[in-house]
Amino acid sequence: MTGTTTRIEVPADSLFGPENLPYGVIAPAGGAPRVGVRLADSVLDLAVLLDDSTFARPSLNAFLAQGPRRWREVRERVQALAESELPAAAVHSLAAVRPVLPIEVADYVDFYASIDHATNLGRLFRPDGEALLPNWRHLPVGYHGRAGTVVVSGTDVVRPRGQRRTESGTPDFGPSQRLDIEAELGFVVGVGSELGRPIPVDDFAAHVFGVALVNDWSARDIQAWEYQPLGPFLGKSFATSLSAWVTPLAALEAARIPLPPQEPEPLPYLRGRESWGLDLELTVEWNGERVARPPYGRMYWSPAQMLAHLSANGAATRPGDLYASGTISGPDRDQRGSFIELSWGGREPVTVKGEARTFLRDGDEVTITATAPGPTGRPIALGEVTGRILPAHNE
């Protein structure tokens, strides 16, 4: 790149064209973290490009709080500028910047919204009973996670230690031996809500800015011992990986589809005029080999219903809140978004690089990507989420 201006050439097959424009936070060499927008294999420094100090910050939170009108104005301006000569100081090579966690995560909630995933786990854990518990079709089941252990894609994950049930029925303590992934879609709240005021299901787009891929790492042996009677705790809270790029809802208009039928009909507070189903296809790679293609379009509960339920009791939301869909799975084996499903509890190993595998070993790396239909007929991509497993600490 030479001179004072430059033009970004977007290849015809790029999944990050001007119809996409995901937001992230990047640290240029020798510079402080700041907000950028990805265009092809470049990043536009918005503080320089728009001469706006809102973007000279180490998170998206201040911009998120400005609301849908401002989100739309910035997106339209960036789209217009992307077609022209740009100040060279505002353009960085994607390879030359370090990605930073894009949001200051205020709160983190994880749902359980895939009927295929819930059915699979029900069959694994309750083979002689009903796969779905009685409440599952009436409300989006979820739990409150740990915001402080959400990490940006590319961050190594240390194998967790905890109590594990043994064959004798009593626990021991040690590194998880059934370490797993959960391929999920996360939703980033922009505009918060007041304590005591639920968010109506049709106000989803007035509060949620965009989506990002999530890998909610899970220690299944720790989880199995601790989750009764209160649910997930240490088996989940050690790490949740988040993509470095947040795709705005505006980029996903062409991906919107109806929800699958919901029977019985949800209670009134979960009924809306807009369904917010999304036609996204994820890919899970284990040590570089594709092992699953989970389809988000089969999700039973919509993100609008999740947000309405999350706040139904009057819980407040804040800019930077993150909630995730739960594992995305489909009805076929190669559509399962967790290794406990792919290996059917460890009884049916998956072949990875010619080797039979069940759960994660130290040194394993998992990468999750996704694509969605774009407005021009070519797909757009969500930013990937990747992580590598390190050995447990011995202390």
Side-chain angles (χ1 to χ4, degrees), residues 90-170:
V91 179
H92 301 278
S93 165
L94 182 66
V97 298
R98 176 174 58 87
V100 178
L101 191 67
I103 55 175
E104 295 174 16
V105 183
D107 274 300
Y108 171 55
V109 170
D110 195 28
F111 283 95
Y112 189 48
S114 164
I115 193 167
D116 296 297
H117 175 66
T119 300
N120 284 338
L121 291 194
R123 288 171 177 162
L124 278 169
F125 298 152
R126 296 180 298 276
D128 298 323
E130 290 292 329
L132 294 179
L133 293 174
N135 67 344
W136 198 92
R137 288 181 182 268
H138 292 273
L139 56 84
V141 174
Y143 70 93
H144 197 190
R146 188 173 181 83
T149 50
V150 176
V151 297
V152 71
S153 173
T155 304
D156 291 337
V157 175
V158 175
R159 182 178 297 274
R161 304 169 80 223
Q163 285 197 27
R164 310 163 302 185
R165 181 165 45 197
T166 65
E167 292 184 1
S168 68
T170 58

Side-chain angles (χ1 to χ4, degrees), residues 20-104:
N20 191 344
L21 299 179
Y23 289 75
V25 174
I26 50 100
R34 51 211 299 108
V35 175
V37 163
R38 180 173 177 179
L39 179 61
D41 291 326
S42 298
V43 181
L44 307 182
D45 184 330
L46 294 188
V48 175
L49 183 66
L50 304 181
D51 191 24
D52 188 334
S53 61
T54 302
F55 302 107
R57 304 186 187 200
S59 83
L60 283 164
N61 289 44
F63 173 57
L64 298 179
Q66 293 177 341
R69 180 176 178 179
R70 176 64 172 155
W71 305 340
R72 182 173 59 254
E73 290 173 348
V74 170
R75 178 173 172 81
E76 290 174 351
R77 190 174 175 195
V78 172
Q79 284 180 319
L81 290 172
E83 306 292 335
S84 61
E85 292 284 331
L86 302 172
V91 179
H92 301 278
S93 165
L94 182 66
V97 298
R98 176 174 58 87
V100 178
L101 191 67
I103 55 175
E104 295 174 16

Side-chain angles (χ1 to χ4, degrees), residues 275-288:
S275 70
W276 281 103
L278 291 170
D279 182 18
L280 307 180
E281 185 174 83
L282 281 68
T283 298
V284 179
E285 293 185 354
W286 191 348
N287 292 338

Side-chain angles (χ1 to χ4, degrees), residues 319-337:
D321 273 8
L322 174 68
Y323 65 96
S325 62
T327 303
I328 302 164
S329 290
D332 301 329
R333 185 183 184 189
D334 67 354
Q335 295 178 322
R336 299 170 184 170

Side-chain angles (χ1 to χ4, degrees), residues 108 110-111 117 121 143 145-146 149 160 181-182 184 216-220 222-223 226 231-240 327:
Y108 171 55
D110 195 28
F111 283 95
H117 175 66
L121 291 194
Y143 70 93
R146 188 173 181 83
T149 50
I181 68 155
E182 291 193 344
E184 307 191 16
D216 195 38
W217 307 89
S218 300
R220 300 297 184 186
I222 296 173
Q223 179 185 5
E226 72 179 3
F233 188 38
L234 299 185
K236 295 279 193 176
S237 62
F238 58 95
T240 299
T327 303

